[in-house]
Every structure is written in structure tokens, then in C-alpha cells.
PDB file of all heavy atoms in Angstrom:
ATOM      1  N   ALA Q   1     -74.329 -18.024-112.831  1.00 88.00           N
ATOM      2  CA  ALA Q   1     -74.405 -19.348-112.150  1.00 88.00           C
ATOM      3  C   ALA Q   1     -72.999 -20.000-111.741  1.00 88.00           C
ATOM      4  O   ALA Q   1     -72.838 -20.557-110.840  1.00 88.00           O
ATOM      5  CB  ALA Q   1     -75.083 -20.348-113.186  1.00 88.00           C
ATOM      6  N   VAL Q   2     -72.026 -19.751-112.764  1.00 89.00           N
ATOM      7  CA  VAL Q   2     -70.730 -20.355-112.351  1.00 89.00           C
ATOM      8  C   VAL Q   2     -70.011 -19.529-111.365  1.00 89.00           C
ATOM      9  O   VAL Q   2     -69.451 -19.962-110.423  1.00 89.00           O
ATOM     10  CB  VAL Q   2     -69.791 -20.262-113.709  1.00 89.00           C
ATOM     11  CG1 VAL Q   2     -68.323 -20.680-113.468  1.00 89.00           C
ATOM     12  CG2 VAL Q   2     -70.379 -21.132-114.872  1.00 89.00           C
ATOM     13  N   VAL Q   3     -70.116 -18.209-111.442  1.00 83.00           N
ATOM     14  CA  VAL Q   3     -69.484 -17.345-110.369  1.00 83.00           C
ATOM     15  C   VAL Q   3     -70.189 -17.600-109.003  1.00 83.00           C
ATOM     16  O   VAL Q   3     -69.457 -17.535-107.957  1.00 83.00           O
ATOM     17  CB  VAL Q   3     -69.667 -15.885-110.699  1.00 83.00           C
ATOM     18  CG1 VAL Q   3     -69.210 -14.911-109.653  1.00 83.00           C
ATOM     19  CG2 VAL Q   3     -68.689 -15.641-111.890  1.00 83.00           C
ATOM     20  N   GLY Q   4     -71.561 -17.848-108.941  1.00 78.00           N
ATOM     21  CA  GLY Q   4     -72.143 -17.974-107.652  1.00 78.00           C
ATOM     22  C   GLY Q   4     -71.562 -19.197-106.904  1.00 78.00           C
ATOM     23  O   GLY Q   4     -71.243 -19.131-105.872  1.00 78.00           O
ATOM     24  N   VAL Q   5     -71.406 -20.407-107.735  1.00 80.00           N
ATOM     25  CA  VAL Q   5     -70.818 -21.535-106.983  1.00 80.00           C
ATOM     26  C   VAL Q   5     -69.355 -21.189-106.680  1.00 80.00           C
ATOM     27  O   VAL Q   5     -68.905 -21.592-105.606  1.00 80.00           O
ATOM     28  CB  VAL Q   5     -70.892 -22.730-108.005  1.00 80.00           C
ATOM     29  CG1 VAL Q   5     -70.063 -23.942-107.503  1.00 80.00           C
ATOM     30  CG2 VAL Q   5     -72.406 -23.030-108.293  1.00 80.00           C
ATOM     31  N   GLY Q   6     -68.561 -20.489-107.585  1.00 78.00           N
ATOM     32  CA  GLY Q   6     -67.214 -20.253-107.411  1.00 78.00           C
ATOM     33  C   GLY Q   6     -67.079 -19.418-106.114  1.00 78.00           C
ATOM     34  O   GLY Q   6     -66.037 -19.560-105.363  1.00 78.00           O
ATOM     35  N   VAL Q   7     -67.857 -18.298-106.068  1.00 70.00           N
ATOM     36  CA  VAL Q   7     -67.640 -17.423-104.892  1.00 70.00           C
ATOM     37  C   VAL Q   7     -67.919 -18.108-103.459  1.00 70.00           C
ATOM     38  O   VAL Q   7     -67.109 -17.875-102.564  1.00 70.00           O
ATOM     39  CB  VAL Q   7     -68.571 -16.157-105.022  1.00 70.00           C
ATOM     40  CG1 VAL Q   7     -68.615 -15.537-103.827  1.00 70.00           C
ATOM     41  CG2 VAL Q   7     -68.075 -15.343-106.131  1.00 70.00           C
ATOM     42  N   VAL Q   8     -68.903 -18.950-103.490  1.00 70.00           N
ATOM     43  CA  VAL Q   8     -69.144 -19.803-102.227  1.00 70.00           C
ATOM     44  C   VAL Q   8     -68.047 -20.611-101.816  1.00 70.00           C
ATOM     45  O   VAL Q   8     -67.577 -20.590-100.727  1.00 70.00           O
ATOM     46  CB  VAL Q   8     -70.440 -20.644-102.491  1.00 70.00           C
ATOM     47  CG1 VAL Q   8     -70.675 -21.507-101.250  1.00 70.00           C
ATOM     48  CG2 VAL Q   8     -71.740 -19.696-102.576  1.00 70.00           C
ATOM     49  N   VAL Q   9     -67.560 -21.340-102.865  1.00 75.00           N
ATOM     50  CA  VAL Q   9     -66.364 -22.188-102.540  1.00 75.00           C
ATOM     51  C   VAL Q   9     -65.016 -21.435-102.210  1.00 75.00           C
ATOM     52  O   VAL Q   9     -64.384 -21.518-101.279  1.00 75.00           O
ATOM     53  CB  VAL Q   9     -65.947 -23.060-103.672  1.00 75.00           C
ATOM     54  CG1 VAL Q   9     -64.748 -23.932-103.519  1.00 75.00           C
ATOM     55  CG2 VAL Q   9     -67.075 -24.005-104.207  1.00 75.00           C
ATOM     56  N   SER Q  10     -64.869 -20.206-102.959  1.00 66.00           N
ATOM     57  CA  SER Q  10     -63.618 -19.411-102.703  1.00 66.00           C
ATOM     58  C   SER Q  10     -63.798 -18.755-101.305  1.00 66.00           C
ATOM     59  O   SER Q  10     -62.965 -18.650-100.534  1.00 66.00           O
ATOM     60  CB  SER Q  10     -63.606 -18.267-103.701  1.00 66.00           C
ATOM     61  OG  SER Q  10     -62.526 -17.448-103.408  1.00 66.00           O
ATOM     62  N   THR Q  11     -65.017 -18.269-100.934  1.00 62.00           N
ATOM     63  CA  THR Q  11     -65.169 -17.694 -99.624  1.00 62.00           C
ATOM     64  C   THR Q  11     -65.116 -18.599 -98.507  1.00 62.00           C
ATOM     65  O   THR Q  11     -64.412 -18.425 -97.466  1.00 62.00           O
ATOM     66  CB  THR Q  11     -66.744 -17.063 -99.493  1.00 62.00           C
ATOM     67  OG1 THR Q  11     -66.777 -16.180-100.620  1.00 62.00           O
ATOM     68  CG2 THR Q  11     -66.916 -16.389 -98.116  1.00 62.00           C
ATOM     69  N   ALA Q  12     -65.500 -19.939 -98.690  1.00 66.00           N
ATOM     70  CA  ALA Q  12     -65.265 -21.068 -97.681  1.00 66.00           C
ATOM     71  C   ALA Q  12     -63.706 -21.195 -97.488  1.00 66.00           C
ATOM     72  O   ALA Q  12     -63.323 -21.462 -96.426  1.00 66.00           O
ATOM     73  CB  ALA Q  12     -66.023 -22.229 -98.206  1.00 66.00           C
ATOM     74  N   LEU Q  13     -63.026 -21.312 -98.675  1.00 67.00           N
ATOM     75  CA  LEU Q  13     -61.606 -21.517 -98.545  1.00 67.00           C
ATOM     76  C   LEU Q  13     -60.959 -20.409 -97.849  1.00 67.00           C
ATOM     77  O   LEU Q  13     -60.033 -20.633 -97.096  1.00 67.00           O
ATOM     78  CB  LEU Q  13     -60.936 -21.763 -99.877  1.00 67.00           C
ATOM     79  CG  LEU Q  13     -61.388 -23.044-100.713  1.00 67.00           C
ATOM     80  CD1 LEU Q  13     -60.809 -23.053-102.052  1.00 67.00           C
ATOM     81  CD2 LEU Q  13     -60.880 -24.269 -99.923  1.00 67.00           C
ATOM     82  N   THR Q  14     -61.372 -19.160 -98.159  1.00 59.00           N
ATOM     83  CA  THR Q  14     -60.787 -18.062 -97.347  1.00 59.00           C
ATOM     84  C   THR Q  14     -61.009 -17.937 -95.975  1.00 59.00           C
ATOM     85  O   THR Q  14     -60.175 -17.750 -95.126  1.00 59.00           O
ATOM     86  CB  THR Q  14     -61.243 -16.708 -98.026  1.00 59.00           C
ATOM     87  OG1 THR Q  14     -61.021 -16.696 -99.588  1.00 59.00           O
ATOM     88  CG2 THR Q  14     -60.666 -15.573 -97.450  1.00 59.00           C
ATOM     89  N   ALA Q  15     -62.314 -18.363 -95.595  1.00 59.00           N
ATOM     90  CA  ALA Q  15     -62.592 -18.394 -94.236  1.00 59.00           C
ATOM     91  C   ALA Q  15     -61.915 -19.526 -93.557  1.00 59.00           C
ATOM     92  O   ALA Q  15     -61.604 -19.440 -92.232  1.00 59.00           O
ATOM     93  CB  ALA Q  15     -64.210 -18.629 -94.101  1.00 59.00           C
ATOM     94  N   LEU Q  16     -61.548 -20.673 -94.131  1.00 61.00           N
ATOM     95  CA  LEU Q  16     -60.986 -21.678 -93.607  1.00 61.00           C
ATOM     96  C   LEU Q  16     -59.443 -21.282 -93.136  1.00 61.00           C
ATOM     97  O   LEU Q  16     -58.995 -21.842 -92.097  1.00 61.00           O
ATOM     98  CB  LEU Q  16     -60.693 -22.924 -94.657  1.00 61.00           C
ATOM     99  CG  LEU Q  16     -60.195 -24.233 -94.045  1.00 61.00           C
ATOM    100  CD1 LEU Q  16     -60.901 -24.758 -92.935  1.00 61.00           C
ATOM    101  CD2 LEU Q  16     -60.025 -25.214 -95.184  1.00 61.00           C
ATOM    102  N   THR Q  17     -59.024 -20.285 -93.884  1.00 59.00           N
ATOM    103  CA  THR Q  17     -57.493 -19.880 -93.346  1.00 59.00           C
ATOM    104  C   THR Q  17     -57.643 -19.156 -92.024  1.00 59.00           C
ATOM    105  O   THR Q  17     -56.674 -19.184 -91.429  1.00 59.00           O
ATOM    106  CB  THR Q  17     -57.012 -18.918 -94.503  1.00 59.00           C
ATOM    107  OG1 THR Q  17     -57.883 -17.660 -94.645  1.00 59.00           O
ATOM    108  CG2 THR Q  17     -56.965 -19.722 -95.882  1.00 59.00           C
ATOM    109  N   THR Q  18     -58.785 -18.575 -91.674  1.00 56.00           N
ATOM    110  CA  THR Q  18     -58.930 -17.891 -90.465  1.00 56.00           C
ATOM    111  C   THR Q  18     -59.097 -18.792 -89.246  1.00 56.00           C
ATOM    112  O   THR Q  18     -58.822 -18.323 -88.152  1.00 56.00           O
ATOM    113  CB  THR Q  18     -59.955 -16.889 -90.550  1.00 56.00           C
ATOM    114  OG1 THR Q  18     -61.274 -17.715 -90.549  1.00 56.00           O
ATOM    115  CG2 THR Q  18     -59.943 -15.888 -91.657  1.00 56.00           C
ATOM    116  N   VAL Q  19     -59.523 -20.062 -89.543  1.00 57.00           N
ATOM    117  CA  VAL Q  19     -59.695 -20.943 -88.333  1.00 57.00           C
ATOM    118  C   VAL Q  19     -58.616 -22.016 -88.442  1.00 57.00           C
ATOM    119  O   VAL Q  19     -58.766 -23.152 -87.679  1.00 57.00           O
ATOM    120  CB  VAL Q  19     -61.040 -21.436 -88.390  1.00 57.00           C
ATOM    121  CG1 VAL Q  19     -62.081 -20.391 -88.262  1.00 57.00           C
ATOM    122  CG2 VAL Q  19     -61.415 -22.342 -89.681  1.00 57.00           C
ATOM    123  N   ALA Q  20     -57.688 -21.990 -89.413  1.00 54.00           N
ATOM    124  CA  ALA Q  20     -56.795 -23.218 -89.499  1.00 54.00           C
ATOM    125  C   ALA Q  20     -55.856 -23.345 -88.278  1.00 54.00           C
ATOM    126  O   ALA Q  20     -55.630 -24.419 -88.003  1.00 54.00           O
ATOM    127  CB  ALA Q  20     -55.827 -22.869 -90.660  1.00 54.00           C
ATOM    128  N   ASP Q  21     -55.612 -22.442 -87.578  1.00 52.00           N
ATOM    129  CA  ASP Q  21     -54.744 -22.522 -86.436  1.00 52.00           C
ATOM    130  C   ASP Q  21     -55.441 -23.361 -85.216  1.00 52.00           C
ATOM    131  O   ASP Q  21     -54.812 -23.822 -84.328  1.00 52.00           O
ATOM    132  CB  ASP Q  21     -54.308 -21.125 -85.811  1.00 52.00           C
ATOM    133  CG  ASP Q  21     -53.311 -20.469 -86.750  1.00 52.00           C
ATOM    134  OD1 ASP Q  21     -52.554 -21.251 -87.495  1.00 52.00           O
ATOM    135  OD2 ASP Q  21     -53.357 -19.331 -86.837  1.00 52.00           O
ATOM    136  N   ARG Q  22     -56.830 -23.386 -85.300  1.00 55.00           N
ATOM    137  CA  ARG Q  22     -57.467 -24.067 -84.306  1.00 55.00           C
ATOM    138  C   ARG Q  22     -57.601 -25.541 -84.545  1.00 55.00           C
ATOM    139  O   ARG Q  22     -58.086 -26.244 -83.766  1.00 55.00           O
ATOM    140  CB  ARG Q  22     -58.937 -23.530 -84.167  1.00 55.00           C
ATOM    141  CG  ARG Q  22     -58.983 -21.988 -83.877  1.00 55.00           C
ATOM    142  CD  ARG Q  22     -60.341 -21.449 -83.892  1.00 55.00           C
ATOM    143  NE  ARG Q  22     -60.357 -20.102 -83.839  1.00 55.00           N
ATOM    144  CZ  ARG Q  22     -61.522 -19.274 -83.845  1.00 55.00           C
ATOM    145  NH1 ARG Q  22     -62.780 -19.982 -83.938  1.00 55.00           N
ATOM    146  NH2 ARG Q  22     -61.458 -18.060 -83.831  1.00 55.00           N
ATOM    147  N   VAL Q  23     -57.180 -25.989 -85.729  1.00 55.00           N
ATOM    148  CA  VAL Q  23     -57.262 -27.342 -86.197  1.00 55.00           C
ATOM    149  C   VAL Q  23     -55.907 -28.176 -85.957  1.00 55.00           C
ATOM    150  O   VAL Q  23     -54.970 -27.873 -86.515  1.00 55.00           O
ATOM    151  CB  VAL Q  23     -57.655 -27.526 -87.648  1.00 55.00           C
ATOM    152  CG1 VAL Q  23     -57.800 -28.934 -88.133  1.00 55.00           C
ATOM    153  CG2 VAL Q  23     -58.978 -26.696 -87.920  1.00 55.00           C
ATOM    154  N   GLY Q  24     -56.033 -29.081 -84.993  1.00 53.00           N
ATOM    155  CA  GLY Q  24     -54.803 -29.911 -84.671  1.00 53.00           C
ATOM    156  C   GLY Q  24     -53.675 -29.064 -84.165  1.00 53.00           C
ATOM    157  O   GLY Q  24     -53.808 -28.106 -83.544  1.00 53.00           O
ATOM    158  N   THR Q  25     -52.519 -29.548 -84.590  1.00 54.00           N
ATOM    159  CA  THR Q  25     -51.347 -28.935 -84.060  1.00 54.00           C
ATOM    160  C   THR Q  25     -51.028 -27.594 -85.032  1.00 54.00           C
ATOM    161  O   THR Q  25     -51.642 -27.324 -85.866  1.00 54.00           O
ATOM    162  CB  THR Q  25     -50.086 -29.826 -84.268  1.00 54.00           C
ATOM    163  OG1 THR Q  25     -49.963 -30.077 -85.705  1.00 54.00           O
ATOM    164  CG2 THR Q  25     -50.335 -31.123 -83.498  1.00 54.00           C
ATOM    165  N   SER Q  26     -50.056 -26.811 -84.527  1.00 61.00           N
ATOM    166  CA  SER Q  26     -49.735 -25.558 -85.239  1.00 61.00           C
ATOM    167  C   SER Q  26     -49.122 -25.886 -86.618  1.00 61.00           C
ATOM    168  O   SER Q  26     -49.453 -25.119 -87.638  1.00 61.00           O
ATOM    169  CB  SER Q  26     -48.735 -24.850 -84.511  1.00 61.00           C
ATOM    170  OG  SER Q  26     -47.440 -25.584 -84.383  1.00 61.00           O
ATOM    171  N   GLU Q  27     -48.434 -26.986 -86.861  1.00 61.00           N
ATOM    172  CA  GLU Q  27     -47.992 -27.363 -88.214  1.00 61.00           C
ATOM    173  C   GLU Q  27     -49.184 -27.728 -89.130  1.00 61.00           C
ATOM    174  O   GLU Q  27     -49.137 -27.457 -90.193  1.00 61.00           O
ATOM    175  CB  GLU Q  27     -47.045 -28.579 -88.127  1.00 61.00           C
ATOM    176  CG  GLU Q  27     -45.624 -28.193 -87.492  1.00 61.00           C
ATOM    177  CD  GLU Q  27     -45.769 -28.128 -85.923  1.00 61.00           C
ATOM    178  OE1 GLU Q  27     -46.868 -28.488 -85.427  1.00 61.00           O
ATOM    179  OE2 GLU Q  27     -44.822 -27.762 -85.139  1.00 61.00           O
ATOM    180  N   VAL Q  28     -50.085 -28.532 -88.494  1.00 54.00           N
ATOM    181  CA  VAL Q  28     -51.176 -28.824 -89.337  1.00 54.00           C
ATOM    182  C   VAL Q  28     -52.087 -27.629 -89.740  1.00 54.00           C
ATOM    183  O   VAL Q  28     -52.459 -27.479 -90.911  1.00 54.00           O
ATOM    184  CB  VAL Q  28     -52.218 -29.901 -88.599  1.00 54.00           C
ATOM    185  CG1 VAL Q  28     -53.475 -30.177 -89.356  1.00 54.00           C
ATOM    186  CG2 VAL Q  28     -51.304 -31.209 -88.443  1.00 54.00           C
ATOM    187  N   GLY Q  29     -52.239 -26.691 -88.751  1.00 59.00           N
ATOM    188  CA  GLY Q  29     -52.924 -25.555 -88.983  1.00 59.00           C
ATOM    189  C   GLY Q  29     -52.261 -24.722 -90.063  1.00 59.00           C
ATOM    190  O   GLY Q  29     -53.064 -24.072 -90.965  1.00 59.00           O
ATOM    191  N   ALA Q  30     -50.978 -24.520 -90.000  1.00 69.00           N
ATOM    192  CA  ALA Q  30     -50.280 -23.719 -90.953  1.00 69.00           C
ATOM    193  C   ALA Q  30     -50.354 -24.363 -92.288  1.00 69.00           C
ATOM    194  O   ALA Q  30     -50.635 -23.591 -93.402  1.00 69.00           O
ATOM    195  CB  ALA Q  30     -48.780 -23.616 -90.640  1.00 69.00           C
ATOM    196  N   SER Q  31     -50.235 -25.604 -92.440  1.00 74.00           N
ATOM    197  CA  SER Q  31     -50.315 -26.318 -93.750  1.00 74.00           C
ATOM    198  C   SER Q  31     -51.728 -26.182 -94.379  1.00 74.00           C
ATOM    199  O   SER Q  31     -51.953 -25.962 -95.536  1.00 74.00           O
ATOM    200  CB  SER Q  31     -50.049 -27.856 -93.686  1.00 74.00           C
ATOM    201  OG  SER Q  31     -48.707 -27.994 -93.137  1.00 74.00           O
ATOM    202  N   LEU Q  32     -52.752 -26.245 -93.409  1.00 72.00           N
ATOM    203  CA  LEU Q  32     -54.122 -26.130 -93.903  1.00 72.00           C
ATOM    204  C   LEU Q  32     -54.366 -24.760 -94.419  1.00 72.00           C
ATOM    205  O   LEU Q  32     -55.036 -24.493 -95.416  1.00 72.00           O
ATOM    206  CB  LEU Q  32     -55.071 -26.510 -92.730  1.00 72.00           C
ATOM    207  CG  LEU Q  32     -56.621 -26.468 -93.160  1.00 72.00           C
ATOM    208  CD1 LEU Q  32     -56.962 -27.520 -94.252  1.00 72.00           C
ATOM    209  CD2 LEU Q  32     -57.416 -26.875 -91.874  1.00 72.00           C
ATOM    210  N   ARG Q  33     -53.796 -23.803 -93.712  1.00 72.00           N
ATOM    211  CA  ARG Q  33     -53.973 -22.304 -94.119  1.00 72.00           C
ATOM    212  C   ARG Q  33     -53.411 -22.101 -95.529  1.00 72.00           C
ATOM    213  O   ARG Q  33     -53.960 -21.429 -96.209  1.00 72.00           O
ATOM    214  CB  ARG Q  33     -53.384 -21.487 -93.067  1.00 72.00           C
ATOM    215  CG  ARG Q  33     -53.667 -19.884 -93.371  1.00 72.00           C
ATOM    216  CD  ARG Q  33     -53.329 -19.047 -92.148  1.00 72.00           C
ATOM    217  NE  ARG Q  33     -51.985 -19.194 -91.786  1.00 72.00           N
ATOM    218  CZ  ARG Q  33     -51.478 -19.863 -90.727  1.00 72.00           C
ATOM    219  NH1 ARG Q  33     -52.283 -20.392 -89.925  1.00 72.00           N
ATOM    220  NH2 ARG Q  33     -50.066 -19.877 -90.468  1.00 72.00           N
TER     221      ARG Q  33
END
């Protein structure tokens, strides 16, 4: 139960790093990544 929630959140955070450059300016994208 704990890992299931954690893996979903962790995978979402990891996926966020792949689209960070598309969000705002390059500086904002790098900081978000």
C-alpha cells in the first residue's frame, strides 16, 4: 500500500523532469527539473 502510492508519486516526479523544458523559460524548466 505504501509503495504503491510512493511509486505513483515518484514516477510522476520523474516524468516531470522530461517535460520541464517545455514549462516557461529555460531557467524555470531547469529549476523545475
Side-chain angles (χ1 to χ4, degrees):
V2 175
V3 169
V5 176
V7 166
V8 170
V9 176
S10 176
T11 303
L13 289 173
T14 302
L16 184 60
T17 63
T18 63
V19 299
D21 291 332
R22 305 177 188 175
V23 181
T25 64
S26 59
E27 292 80 6
V28 173
S31 300
L32 184 60
R33 185 170 62 251

